[in-house]
Amino acid sequence: MRRSKRGFPLWLLFPLTVLSVLAVSLFTKDGVFSGGDIRPLLENGLVIVTLAGLLQFSLAAGRIKNVYHEETRRHMGRFFFVYLAAFACSFVFSFLPPAGWPFPIVFLALSLFSDEVTGMTAGVSLLAVTAMFAEGFTLSSLLLLLCCSTFTVTLFSHIEEGFRATLPVAASSVCLFAVSVCQGILGSGDRLSVTVFIIPTLNVMINALLMVVFLNWYSQAVVHKQSLKFMELNDQTCPLLIELRDLSEPEYFHAVHTAFFCTRIAEKLEADVHTCRAGGFYHHIGLLYGENTWDNIADICDEFEFPDSAYDLLDEYTNSKDRIVSKEAAILFLADTVVASVSYLRQKSAQAKPDYKALVSAIYDKRLQSPSLAHSKLSRDDIAAMKEIFIGEELYYDFIH
């Protein structure tokens, strides 16, 4: 698992939330300093302490269980910023009618910058703050808005699988409009007019606009960032590979040939192609810092922000060669072995052309009997497909030197 860096001081959320709510409660028109009853202050204090404590627990649990997206884990300050901005807005929302509260975007942003449970917990705490200071707010309004926000978070819970946001945004907007109209009708009593629809319409428009802007940014900064990073790393003109070539051409060409076989096999076996290709290119990248130790590889991965999947593959391949489990590590293990063996024999007998089919078949069969692959996720069909690829690339071995 990736080494964690010193994170943002998220523990500050608890005292900031509690102290701010209590301070505002003291100075409201019904507060203690205005001659009001102390009981509402105690009730508000108990609620906000409970919710803030639950939020702090959820944040800690999420980090311990490693459920956050890798970009989220690296930039937890985003969650902190969104929470503080929404926390300030929650006091402003209390001056608006419930039909004008755009909480779905708040819940969504907090959930995408953490996980669903933490985002919902944070959103509920902010909704509670607004409800504490709003006038004429009812439990039914709270539950309706909470249901709408929960629906929004659920719609976007699988946002990274294709990232199609148009339909979820539309569905969330329809739900918010229905809820806001219901709140407007409940708040208007017996007087039903066109004005009941004005605030909900404005609320939906603002909420939808904020969603589109936020999701567009999130798509570029988080969802597609990993793909863009793999495109950079898996290009033979990547600065890291150029440094490796300048350091040692044999190591550079070994990496290129290993990445070629990793890519071919991963495509055939439906493994993670980008991760396998990166593993082929960078399994000896520690040489840039001296020896090819895991500490050197990990330092380079952290410095150049390798995606977690590539980091974990290199970690498994470097530190667990005697017990390879993942399909990607098994592919890298066999590709590295075949390329190294062919390269060695080509150097030993530069003039004579070896019988690649017999050679590769022998190497492959010997490696499969190794205890290193005894626990791998390779199936019999995978093993047969890999052998077919290694043997079928007979012409390619002429380029290995």
Side-chain angles (χ1 to χ4, degrees), residues 135-151:
E135 294 185 0
F137 189 67
T138 62
L139 178 60
S140 59
S141 296
L142 175 67
L143 293 177
L144 284 172
L145 196 51
L146 181 58
C147 289
C148 179
S149 300
T150 303
F151 177 64

Side-chain angles (χ1 to χ4, degrees), residues 14-136:
F14 181 81
L16 282 174
T17 303
V18 174
L19 294 177
S20 299
V21 171
L22 293 180
V24 173
S25 298
L26 290 173
F27 290 97
T28 56
K29 65 179 183 179
D30 295 324
V32 176
F33 290 169
S34 301
D37 190 2
I38 195 175
R39 185 176 299 173
L41 174 63
L42 296 177
E43 292 176 351
N44 291 348
L46 179 60
V47 170
I48 203 62
V49 165
T50 302
L51 289 174
L54 184 59
L55 172 59
Q56 206 68 51
F57 174 79
S58 181
L59 282 167
R63 301 186 77 172
I64 292 173
K65 295 180 179 179
N66 198 32
V67 297
Y68 298 148
H69 187 281
E70 60 180 283
E71 273 299 302
T72 297
R73 191 171 61 254
R74 292 179 190 176
H75 303 285
M76 287 303 293
R78 293 170 178 171
F79 178 89
F80 190 89
F81 173 78
V82 171
Y83 181 85
L84 290 185
F87 183 64
C89 290
S90 63
F91 291 102
V92 178
F93 292 160
S94 64
F95 294 100
L96 301 174
W101 295 357
F103 269 99
I105 178 59
V106 174
F107 276 70
L108 176 61
L110 291 170
S111 296
L112 292 181
F113 282 147
S114 55
D115 66 298
E116 287 84 358
V117 175
T118 303
M120 288 295 300
T121 305
V124 169
S125 66
L126 297 174
L127 182 56
V129 171
T130 302
M132 288 176 186
F133 302 103
E135 294 185 0

Side-chain angles (χ1 to χ4, degrees), residues 200-326:
T201 302
L202 293 174
N203 187 20
V204 169
M205 292 175 61
I206 293 173
N207 188 79
L209 178 63
L210 290 175
M211 273 192 183
V212 170
V213 173
F214 170 73
L215 290 172
N216 182 61
W217 175 87
Y218 186 83
S219 171
Q220 298 299 321
V222 179
V223 176
H224 295 143
K225 183 176 181 179
Q226 179 172 299
S227 299
L228 294 174
K229 191 63 182 180
F230 270 124
M231 289 177 61
E232 175 190 342
L233 291 173
N234 289 338
D235 189 336
Q236 292 187 32
T237 61
C238 177
L240 272 176
L241 293 176
I242 298 301
E243 285 188 51
L244 182 62
R245 185 190 64 187
D246 294 340
L247 176 69
S248 171
E249 280 200 0
E251 286 293 345
Y252 168 77
F253 285 113
H254 174 83
V256 170
H257 297 318
T258 304
F260 169 79
F261 280 106
C262 285
T263 304
R264 288 272 288 109
I265 296 170
E267 290 173 347
K268 181 69 174 179
L269 272 55
E270 297 183 352
D272 190 329
V273 178
H274 296 303
T275 299
C276 279
R277 184 173 174 83
F281 276 132
Y282 299 104
H283 64 291
H284 287 169
I285 202 63
L287 294 171
L288 294 181
Y289 286 180
E291 297 182 6
N292 193 48
T293 62
W294 169 241
D295 287 338
N296 287 340
I297 294 175
D299 287 341
I300 292 173
C301 288
D302 288 335
E303 181 181 349
F304 289 87
E305 295 188 342
F306 275 46
D308 276 5
S309 59
Y311 183 100
D312 292 340
L313 171 59
L314 294 173
D315 184 6
E316 180 181 3
Y317 183 68
T318 305
N319 295 324
S320 305
K321 275 191 175 181
D322 57 338
R323 187 184 173 86
I324 291 176
V325 176
S326 72

